[in-house]
Amino acid sequence: MAPKLDKHDHVLLAAIQENARVAQSELGERANLSTAAVNRRLRLLADAGVIEKYTARLNPKALGYGLTIIVEVKVESERADLLQEMQRGFTACPEIQQCYYVAGECDFVLIFLVRDMEQYVSLTRRLFHENGNVKAFKTLVAMDRVKTGMDVPITGSESG
Amino acid sequence: MAPKLDKHDHVLLAAIQENARVAQSELGERANLSTAAVNRRLRLLADAGVIEKYTARLNPKALGYGLTIIVEVKVESERADLLQEMQRGFTACPEIQQCYYVAGECDFVLIFLVRDMEQYVSLTRRLFHENGNVKAFKTLVAMDRVKTGMDVPITGSESG
DNA sequence: CCTGAAATATCTAAAAG
DNA sequence: CTTTTAGATATTTCAGG
């Protein structure tokens, strides 16, 4: 899946992760490449799945989603089909930003983005209380989103 | 901070959140706006901070970061200056993708993206063991990143 | 794999309704 | 808000090393 990234790729990836709108001409200056080479590399990186998508990060508060809640879910049974059905339900819920299947005390960690507590309570009914496979869940209310994002660390060099 | 978003804005925001590279001409078709109106709205939304940034989402595994770990941190003292110093340390660490300050049993929830367990252990030394204000921390290893992203739900309409 | 230049496409701003 | 125009930027492709 990762076809040998060299240091030029690292420069490009770090740059577009920070700001996807920088012109390929400027990327070329930073990476010491022509715009044509930049264009080709970006295409290959996207085709290879290294670049998953170009996206705009929106301000949740500006859209009325002022409440972040982290939830730990414990399940009754770890039967594969039941887990998969739960994962589908979580994934389909737009208010669940992130879902991790974890090893340890609990089984899932979810990150909710909701308008208010009322909406969260309503979602817990549907997703947890009405789901026979949810044994327990623990709610952690975020007072501050200290650091957010899906940024991947990009070291100076590694494989090149 | 949120200067009345109408349904046109919602269409635009949902579209560029899903794919930031769609042409403004196509955005215009989807939102029933001229490209000039789309351009103006996108500029205003960015200036107002509704659009925080344009970014490329990268595949962590492709960059060698195959291990996601969620950590709950409990502090000794909640003194404001100590908390702030911890937050600065977490924020400055590239391997910490996300940091939430939460109410409840623990005080911080962190999401790490690391190359391997060795790197994680090394980071815990520096960030937790060598920090006098960390009372305890609990490590949850992610077996699967079921759903990721920072997407904000965009309802059909609300304030318009 | 690269560069440089040409051909497309896109964005931005202005003018007028 | 709209449409149209025009010029500046950005992108993609192509020829050739």
Side-chain angles (χ1 to χ4, degrees):
Chain A
M1 182 178 256
K4 288 158 198 155
L5 308 178
D6 63 17
K7 74 177 156 81
H8 295 299
D9 292 314
H10 284 113
V11 172
L12 298 179
L13 292 171
I16 65 173
Q17 180 170 242
E18 210 278 314
N19 177 12
R21 302 205 105 190
V22 298
Q24 295 178 358
S25 56
E26 194 186 320
L27 292 177
E29 290 177 17
R30 295 196 207 171
N32 286 317
L33 291 170
S34 66
T35 67
V38 171
N39 189 274
R40 182 180 152 279
R41 280 169 182 263
L42 290 180
R43 169 178 297 283
L44 292 176
L45 288 167
D47 289 349
V50 178
I51 299 170
E52 291 183 345
K53 70 186 302 194
Y54 292 90
T55 179
R57 179 121 97 242
L58 308 182
N59 182 335
K61 240 180 204 164
L63 285 150
Y65 285 83
L67 190 55
T68 301
I69 295 178
I70 299 162
V71 185
E72 298 178 20
V73 179
K74 214 174 289 192
V75 303
E76 292 279 0
S77 157
E78 305 225 24
R79 257 177 51 199
D81 59 334
L82 293 177
L83 288 181
Q84 214 165 11
E85 196 190 317
M86 289 183 70
Q87 295 187 8
R88 264 196 288 273
F90 294 154
T91 301
C93 177
E95 286 80 12
I96 297 181
Q97 258 195 345
Q98 300 167 53
C99 170
Y100 301 92
Y101 179 49
V102 300
E105 283 183 29
C106 66
D107 299 289
F108 288 102
V109 174
L110 308 176
I111 297 186
F112 281 74
L113 206 53
V114 289
R115 299 184 168 284
D116 47 43
M117 264 299 166
E118 190 185 331
Q119 186 186 20
Y120 175 65
V121 171
S122 161
L123 287 168
T124 62
R125 279 224 177 84
R126 182 164 65 79
L127 294 165
F128 306 143
H129 296 293
E130 295 177 4
N131 186 319
N133 199 36
V134 171
K135 181 189 283 181
F137 67 97
K138 188 167 84 175
T139 298
L140 303 169
V141 177
M143 294 185 287
D144 191 10
R145 294 161 59 92
V146 178
K147 183 179 186 179
T148 59
M150 298 301 301
D151 287 1
V152 179
I154 297 180
T155 71
S157 64
E158 89 200 62
S159 63
Chain B
M1 183 178 257
K4 288 159 199 156
L5 308 178
D6 63 17
K7 74 177 155 78
H8 295 298
D9 292 315
H10 284 114
V11 172
L12 298 179
L13 292 171
I16 64 172
Q17 181 171 241
E18 211 280 313
N19 176 11
R21 302 206 103 189
V22 297
Q24 294 179 357
S25 56
E26 193 184 321
L27 292 177
E29 289 177 18
R30 295 196 208 170
N32 285 316
L33 290 171
S34 64
T35 67
V38 171
N39 190 273
R40 183 179 151 279
R41 281 170 182 261
L42 290 180
R43 168 179 298 284
L44 293 176
L45 288 167
D47 290 348
V50 178
I51 299 169
E52 292 182 343
K53 72 187 299 195
Y54 292 90
T55 180
R57 176 109 51 101
L58 308 182
N59 182 335
K61 239 180 204 161
L63 285 151
Y65 285 82
L67 190 54
T68 301
I69 295 178
I70 298 162
V71 185
E72 298 178 19
V73 179
K74 215 173 289 191
V75 303
E76 293 279 1
S77 158
E78 304 224 27
R79 256 176 52 197
D81 58 333
L82 294 177
L83 288 181
Q84 213 164 11
E85 195 189 318
M86 290 185 70
Q87 294 187 8
R88 264 195 289 272
F90 295 153
T91 301
C93 177
E95 286 80 13
I96 297 181
Q97 258 195 346
Q98 299 167 52
C99 169
Y100 300 93
Y101 178 50
V102 300
E105 283 181 29
C106 65
D107 298 291
F108 289 102
V109 174
L110 308 176
I111 297 186
F112 281 74
L113 206 54
V114 290
R115 300 185 167 285
D116 47 43
M117 263 299 165
E118 189 184 332
Q119 186 185 22
Y120 175 65
V121 171
S122 161
L123 287 169
T124 60
R125 279 224 178 84
R126 183 165 63 78
L127 293 165
F128 305 144
H129 296 293
E130 294 178 5
N131 185 319
N133 199 35
V134 171
K135 181 189 284 180
F137 67 96
K138 189 167 82 175
T139 298
L140 302 170
V141 177
M143 294 184 287
D144 191 10
R145 294 161 60 92
V146 178
K147 183 180 186 178
T148 60
M150 298 300 302
D151 287 2
V152 179
I154 297 180
T155 69
S157 64
E158 88 199 64
S159 64

